[in-house]
Amino acid sequence: MGRVSQSHALPEPDPGPAQARGLRAQKKHQTRLAMHRAALELVVEKGLSGVTAQMIAERAGVSTRTFFNHWATKESAILGVVGDEGIRAVASLREKLEEMEARDALRAVLREGIANIPVDPGLRDLKKHVMAEEPSLQLISSGNLHAMQNELVDVIEEALDGEYARDHAVILVQVSFALTRSAFAISMRRGIDLVRAFDQVIELYDSGEFNR
Amino acid sequence: MGRVSQSHALPEPDPGPAQARGLRAQKKHQTRLAMHRAALELVVEKGLSGVTAQMIAERAGVSTRTFFNHWATKESAILGVVGDEGIRAVASLREKLEEMEARDALRAVLREGIANIPVDPGLRDLKKHVMAEEPSLQLISSGNLHAMQNELVDVIEEALDGEYARDHAVILVQVSFALTRSAFAISMRRGIDLVRAFDQVIELYDSGEFNR
DNA sequence: CAGAGATGTTGCATTGACTGCACTATTGCA
DNA sequence: TGCAATAGTGCAGTCAATGCAACATCTCTG
């Protein structure tokens, strides 16, 4: 009965994709996946606005309350957001900044980031389809990126000099994220791998067509 | 919380800032402004999550229902969203594309767009303060831009040639919006005019620091 | 200037996202 | 086996948002 509820019990991030330590963690991850899958399927069937949290919970075989114990919002269940990527990205950026230019470091981090997006193979196509159909989800998805932007700006600012260090950092981050978003769009449209699209975008961009 | 309403009977945009035709339209605009002001004040006082639509309506002297007749969401009342900018932007872009390069045309349109953001002088500082305090509003704000992005991409694609016309267009639009967002951030931080910030960002960007 | 139609405002009822709380059910571990 | 930790659940409640129907207030026309 010792309900020592700590912080506002926000929906915790997912520990690991597959190799869960205990039986307990395994089950949890399983439940989570079931909800994510159910969410995707239902959105395909009925469209985003035609799906309620209750439906998703029901199909996944859990209570509505449990659903919201796992996901902060209906949309995050659909997107299958993990959460702690921001922290890793910042750490990764710090390391890279010691051996390369800010621009390249940032690009590398973003490339890493999108390469590590965990997608259950069975859900890959489903998710792609949903994302293509529901633009507002794209927006939310890039909104998740938004959260880490400021932190990245801070880190990069430290690595730059001059009066306009922060302005530089801001622009650099914004533009880099813009390229990432472009990669998302192009990947979706052409049906190609996201990382591949990212590389193509970088190449196109660096070709200089955009600076005159 | 995170509602992403896809309203059908959308609350109509505001006809004109000041010189409203009839008495009716005048009153309407007045009501609208009262709500916008109330929303901003309350957010300053209690924070975004501490404010309910009811509170805003009450302070503005209207019913809750009326509140939602004017604004699609609580947040749009705070931001004072007008709405029909997208249409104007697209038309404007079409014109400009006939006399200048895609990049410059797009920049010009964006510059126009931010220059025309209607802000009641009395609310300017209030809004700036609120935007600085509540990052999630910034996100929503740029989300509004998001809607017109695809249309702009379409228009620009027509103006470009080659196999990669659309990819070019996507990247161009994304990057240009990134610069605009940067201008927002910098304008906020330095407390300078948005258009001025935009010009500075463009200058900084074109200086070439970002392409090597 | 009267009356009809258009438009703004409101109350009411309802749906659906989310949250806090108290409680039960499992699981991990000593 | 016994107990602490943690996942899952039911319930009640808040708040955003919407449809609907009644009502109030212009606006415009004959």
Side-chain angles (χ1 to χ4, degrees):
Chain A
M1 270 71 136
R3 187 100 301 246
V4 192
S5 80
Q6 27 193 30
S7 62
H8 302 263
L10 47 160
E12 79 295 351
D14 198 24
Q19 25 64 299
R21 262 76 65 188
L23 195 165
R24 194 185 206 105
Q26 258 176 53
K27 274 197 176 176
K28 187 172 180 178
H29 182 260
Q30 214 172 317
T31 310
R32 200 181 173 80
L33 192 62
M35 288 186 279
H36 181 37
R37 155 168 280 127
L40 285 173
E41 289 175 355
L42 280 167
V43 172
V44 169
E45 293 172 23
K46 302 168 189 294
L48 179 56
S49 61
V51 174
T52 70
Q54 286 184 22
M55 293 180 200
I56 302 175
E58 193 180 350
R59 180 170 297 197
V62 296
S63 70
T64 307
R65 193 62 186 83
T66 295
F67 177 83
F68 283 112
N69 278 339
H70 282 264
W71 313 97
T73 66
K74 186 178 81 172
E75 286 77 13
S76 62
I78 298 166
L79 295 173
V81 280
V82 177
D84 62 345
E85 279 134 11
I87 301 117
R88 272 184 292 170
V90 170
S92 173
L93 178 63
R94 278 223 160 76
E95 289 173 22
K96 293 190 199 321
L97 277 173
E98 294 180 7
E99 38 181 311
M100 46 179 121
E101 294 286 329
R103 190 197 70 166
D104 295 324
L106 185 51
R107 286 180 177 184
V109 169
L110 289 172
R111 193 176 190 279
E112 260 178 25
I114 61 179
N116 287 334
I117 292 176
V119 189
D120 187 300
L123 300 184
R124 181 167 229 112
D125 293 337
L126 214 47
K127 187 171 177 184
K128 190 168 283 187
H129 181 242
V130 166
M131 291 291 281
E133 293 294 309
E134 304 284 352
S136 69
L137 289 178
Q138 295 173 32
L139 189 57
I140 294 171
S141 182
S142 58
N144 296 135
L145 296 180
H146 189 90
M148 80 172 82
Q149 282 187 191
N150 287 331
E151 297 178 77
L152 295 179
V153 168
D154 291 340
V155 175
I156 288 183
E157 182 184 7
E158 292 172 23
L160 296 177
D161 288 329
E163 188 189 348
Y164 294 101
R166 188 165 188 93
D167 294 351
H168 261 94
V170 167
I171 299 174
L172 186 52
V173 170
Q174 288 286 357
V175 170
S176 301
F177 272 81
L179 296 178
T180 307
R181 270 191 289 273
S182 302
F184 268 99
I186 289 168
S187 148
M188 209 91 82
R189 188 168 59 85
R190 293 200 189 275
I192 62 176
D193 178 67
L194 182 52
V195 176
R196 183 181 199 73
F198 183 79
D199 291 338
Q200 288 184 12
V201 167
I202 294 293
E203 197 186 325
L204 248 181
Y205 178 74
D206 285 345
S207 73
E209 301 283 333
F210 301 93
N211 303 301
R212 44 137 275 93
Chain B
M1 281 277 237
R3 217 124 317 163
V4 192
S5 76
Q6 193 112 306
S7 61
H8 320 158
L10 46 161
E12 79 297 349
D14 198 24
Q19 24 64 299
R21 264 77 63 192
L23 196 165
R24 197 186 202 104
Q26 258 176 54
K27 274 195 178 177
K28 186 171 181 180
H29 183 259
Q30 215 172 316
T31 312
R32 201 183 172 79
L33 192 61
M35 289 186 278
H36 180 36
R37 153 168 281 126
L40 284 173
E41 290 176 355
L42 280 167
V43 172
V44 169
E45 292 172 23
K46 302 169 190 296
L48 179 56
S49 60
V51 174
T52 70
Q54 286 184 21
M55 293 180 201
I56 302 174
E58 192 179 350
R59 181 170 299 197
V62 297
S63 71
T64 306
R65 194 61 187 80
T66 296
F67 177 84
F68 283 111
N69 279 339
H70 282 265
W71 314 96
T73 67
K74 188 178 79 172
E75 286 76 12
S76 62
I78 298 167
L79 295 173
V81 184
V82 175
D84 62 345
E85 278 132 12
I87 302 115
R88 274 183 291 170
V90 170
S92 173
L93 178 61
R94 277 221 160 77
E95 290 173 22
K96 293 191 198 319
L97 277 174
E98 295 180 5
E99 38 181 310
M100 46 179 121
E101 295 285 331
R103 190 199 69 167
D104 295 324
L106 185 51
R107 285 181 178 184
V109 168
L110 288 172
R111 193 176 189 280
E112 258 178 25
I114 63 180
N116 287 335
I117 292 176
V119 188
D120 187 299
L123 300 184
R124 181 168 229 114
D125 293 337
L126 214 48
K127 186 170 178 185
K128 191 169 282 187
H129 182 242
V130 165
M131 290 290 283
E133 294 293 310
E134 306 282 352
S136 68
L137 288 178
Q138 294 173 33
L139 189 57
I140 294 171
S141 182
S142 56
N144 296 146
L145 296 181
H146 189 90
M148 80 173 83
Q149 282 186 190
N150 287 332
E151 296 178 77
L152 295 179
V153 168
D154 291 341
V155 175
I156 289 184
E157 182 184 8
E158 292 171 24
L160 295 177
D161 288 329
E163 188 189 348
Y164 294 101
R166 188 163 187 94
D167 294 352
H168 260 96
V170 168
I171 298 174
L172 186 53
V173 170
Q174 287 287 354
V175 169
S176 300
F177 272 80
L179 296 178
T180 307
R181 270 191 289 272
S182 303
F184 269 98
I186 289 168
S187 149
M188 208 91 83
R189 188 169 59 86
R190 294 201 188 275
I192 61 177
D193 177 68
L194 182 52
V195 176
R196 184 180 197 76
F198 183 79
D199 291 338
Q200 288 185 11
V201 167
I202 294 292
E203 196 186 326
L204 247 179
Y205 178 75
D206 285 345
S207 73
E209 300 282 334
F210 302 93
N211 304 301
R212 41 139 276 95

